[in-house]
Amino acid sequence: MKETIKYTDKLPIQTRDVQRAISELRNTYRNTVFSNEWQALAKVYHDKVGLDEGYLY
C-alpha cells in the first residue's frame, strides 16, 4: 500500500498504479543479495580479480 501511494494522490487507487508498485517491489526483492550469499559473491570477485591479473587461485 505504501508503495502504491507513491504513484497516485487520489482515491480510488487505479489498478495500473497497484501493478506498477508490485512490479517495483518485485524487482527490489529479486535483486536483493541474501546474507548467506555474500561469502560466495566475495569469492567470485576475488577469483575474477585474480584471473584478470593473470593469477590462478
Side-chain angles (χ1 to χ4, degrees):
M1 206 56 183
K2 283 191 328 188
E3 191 71 21
T4 304
I5 293 171
K6 292 180 182 178
Y7 300 107
T8 189
D9 58 355
K10 58 185 173 183
L11 295 174
I13 297 171
Q14 300 294 313
T15 302
R16 65 180 158 75
D17 294 326
V18 173
Q19 289 172 336
R20 186 184 313 165
I22 290 169
S23 180
E24 288 286 325
L25 286 172
R26 184 182 306 123
N27 288 335
T28 297
Y29 286 108
R30 183 182 302 147
N31 296 328
T32 301
V33 177
F34 296 101
S35 61
N36 63 334
E37 297 172 321
W38 283 109
Q39 188 172 13
L41 263 174
K43 181 177 178 352
V44 168
Y45 173 78
H46 185 267
D47 291 349
K48 181 179 178 351
V49 169
L51 289 174
D52 288 346
E53 295 176 355
Y55 300 109
L56 286 176
Y57 294 98

